[in-house]
Amino acid sequence: MAQTAPVLHRATDALAAADPELAALVCAEERLQADTLRLIPSENYVSAAVLAATGSVLTNKYSEGYPGRRYYEGQQNVDPIEELARDRAKALFGAEHANVQPYSGSPANLAVYLAFAKPGDTVLGCALPMGGHLTHGWDVSVTGTWFRGIGYGVRRDTGRVDLDEVRSLALRTRPRIIFCGGTALPRTVDFAAFASIAAEVGAVLAADMSHLAGLVAGGVHPSPVGHADVIVTTTHKTLRGPRGAMLLSGAEHAKRIDKAVFPGLQGGPHNHTTAAIAVALKEAAGPDFRTYARAVVANAARLGDELAARGFDLVSGGTDTHLLLTDLTSWGVAGKPAAKALDRAGIVVNHNTVPYETRRPFDPSGIRIGTPALTSRGLGVEHMPQIAEWITRVVRSVAEDRPDVEKQVRGEVAELMAAYPAPGLPVG
Ligand code: DSN
């Protein structure tokens, strides 16, 4: 992606003059994002163009309503911006309807409940410790307290979603909505199989492709379009846009979805985000993005092979996507201390529960690893053995209580990262 540093520097200069304390923190974050190997699967680096739209004057404008039907005047530029974003979303994913206003993934999922269910209705989703998302009916979320959340899981022997269990739970509990997709599922989501179960029990199928949107756009993961009644996606993960979300559907659900987002849940849309979503969708429609999506998956597959060869226990044995989930139990190390040690070594992951978790959610057995961000910096399969080796050295150092290893690895990581500048960040 092109570097357009002037925009960024102008913003940084203004910030430094007005609020040096805050500016120093932003600059430190730029440095951190530049120097470290970011392996959190839900994170990425947006282009300078997406950053410019996010930091634009559009943040000054109120626009409650939809293009052509607003509650505020002065929408001469905002209406075409939102139309552009909607049209690009529809074209990229082949959907009849797009709503680009949800503030993020959780509000977008909540809009699905508001559009299709009533409080107390049953909702079937992948259980959080099995790789699902809080808002798919998990009990600590409003979606599990105002609705009756039923969780399905992955099979103990394969680590893959147990479609037999999904079907039998659906037949038994008759959910109003079935969610598919999640946050720590390394394998392909079988949207067609979920659609057939939803049809059998008369449920609405909601496909949460937040993690997968960039892979779907890039043609390396099947699309939920044509299978799901409603599709939810955040825009900042593999899709490489700003922090936001979209809802896609057929024309028959357009009205109820739009009504659920506004006025059902939200007030004014974040126009700067809408503009940045439009930019990201344009980027994702280009030929380079298909190459990017293929590289994300190839990198994850190779990293998985290299980790497995070094003794890491990968949930489901590997990945079809951008993410890997590894259970560290056999290393005698828990996920949280491993993630903290990796962080000190310049490798940023998150601790994560693994299926059939035996530890507590805040101190679980696994770590989650993903390749979207490193691929945006141009790292390829040839770098994966080195990355697997660094992870191995650090995890072993935790088991052997050798914190000196973290410093060595941090230096090596910074050296590699310096050779692969991050998109959107000032160089040098
Ligand atoms: N928090 C996101 C993730 O990291 O996967 C999901 O909402």
Side-chain angles (χ1 to χ4, degrees):
M1 281 183 286
Q3 303 282 327
T4 54
V7 171
L8 209 83
H9 285 145
R10 194 183 62 197
T12 311
D13 288 348
L15 196 56
D19 190 341
E21 188 183 2
L22 195 283
L25 289 167
V26 173
C27 288
E29 179 62 21
E30 285 179 354
R31 188 80 269 157
L32 189 67
Q33 291 193 15
D35 289 349
T36 52
L37 183 54
R38 300 172 64 229
L39 296 180
I40 292 178
S42 46
E43 293 184 353
N44 214 326
Y45 294 96
V46 298
S47 68
V50 169
L51 270 185
T54 308
S56 70
V57 294
L58 291 161
T59 197
N60 296 339
K61 188 71 197 122
Y62 246 115
S63 309
E64 281 180 20
Y66 290 100
R69 288 177 294 122
R70 305 281 195 188
Y71 290 81
Y72 294 75
E73 299 312 316
Q75 310 296 339
Q76 294 86 336
N77 304 306
V78 170
D79 273 5
I81 286 168
E82 188 168 335
E83 275 163 5
L84 209 49
R86 291 197 305 201
D87 289 347
R88 287 177 181 173
K90 288 191 276 182
L92 183 64
F93 293 106
E96 289 172 351
H97 179 67
N99 185 309
V100 295
Q101 294 195 3
Y103 298 142
S104 200
S106 299
N109 276 332
L110 213 46
V112 171
Y113 288 81
L114 190 58
F116 295 101
K118 296 253 175 307
D121 280 353
T122 299
V123 175
L124 181 60
C126 185
L128 184 65
M130 292 282 180
H133 190 260
L134 271 173
T135 56
H136 297 177
W138 193 241
D139 58 3
V140 295
S141 149
V142 65
T143 63
T145 52
W146 290 359
F147 299 86
R148 178 174 164 250
I150 308 283
Y152 59 83
V154 300
R155 288 176 61 110
R156 209 182 257 280
D157 54 345
T158 63
R160 294 172 187 245
V161 168
D162 188 343
L163 287 163
D164 292 336
E165 185 197 19
V166 175
R167 180 166 178 269
S168 67
L169 282 172
L171 285 168
R172 185 146 44 85
T173 64
R174 296 279 156 180
R176 177 75 190 116
I177 303 174
I178 299 178
F179 274 93
C180 58
T183 63
L185 298 170
R187 296 296 180 174
T188 301
V189 179
D190 190 342
F191 296 120
F194 273 99
S196 135
I197 295 167
E200 193 178 351
V201 300
V204 169
L205 180 62
D208 187 339
M209 66 164 187
S210 295
H211 267 264
L212 303 170
L215 307 185
V216 172
V220 293
H221 189 286
S223 172
V225 174
H227 298 298
D229 298 290
V230 56
I231 297 162
V232 183
T233 184
T234 48
T235 46
H236 47 270
K237 298 186 173 90
T238 49
L239 193 56
R240 218 161 56 179
R243 301 194 78 87
M246 307 191 294
L247 290 162
L248 307 172
S249 73
E252 71 277 21
H253 298 310
K255 259 200 183 134
R256 64 159 88 197
I257 287 171
D258 284 354
K259 226 174 121 193
V261 174
F262 173 85
L265 280 174
Q266 299 187 176
H270 294 175
N271 297 317
H272 53 303
T273 301
T274 306
I277 289 173
V279 176
L281 290 167
K282 183 173 184 206
E283 291 174 353
D288 289 354
F289 199 83
R290 294 184 88 79
T291 309
Y292 166 69
R294 272 198 300 275
V296 167
V297 172
N299 281 341
R302 179 68 188 274
L303 185 56
D305 290 346
E306 295 293 334
L307 288 168
R310 288 165 176 79
F312 282 86
D313 177 9
L314 301 177
V315 171
S316 84
T319 183
D320 302 323
T321 63
H322 61 301
L323 86 78
L324 297 153
L325 184 60
T326 177
D327 182 344
L328 300 178
T329 305
S330 64
W331 290 79
V333 174
K336 196 168 175 180
K340 293 224 171 283
L342 285 162
D343 192 36
R344 289 189 293 270
I347 298 172
V348 189
V349 301
N350 66 277
H351 60 80
N352 215 96
T353 52
V354 295
Y356 304 98
E357 181 61 71
T358 52
R359 300 173 63 89
R360 289 173 297 126
F362 201 58
D363 183 23
S365 304
I367 54 173
R368 195 179 61 148
I369 298 171
T371 53
L374 68 83
T375 308
S376 290
R377 295 183 75 152
L379 296 185
V381 285
E382 67 279 15
H383 298 105
M384 299 306 120
Q386 174 65 83
I387 293 171
E389 189 56 31
W390 283 330
I391 294 171
T392 308
R393 279 166 61 192
V394 174
V395 170
R396 190 184 295 127
S397 79
V398 178
E400 294 174 353
D401 195 18
R402 293 236 357 246
D404 52 304
V405 173
E406 293 163 13
K407 207 167 161 206
Q408 289 161 17
V409 171
R410 187 169 186 112
E412 293 167 33
V413 168
E415 200 178 322
L416 179 68
M417 292 299 100
Y420 290 87
L425 297 188
V427 187

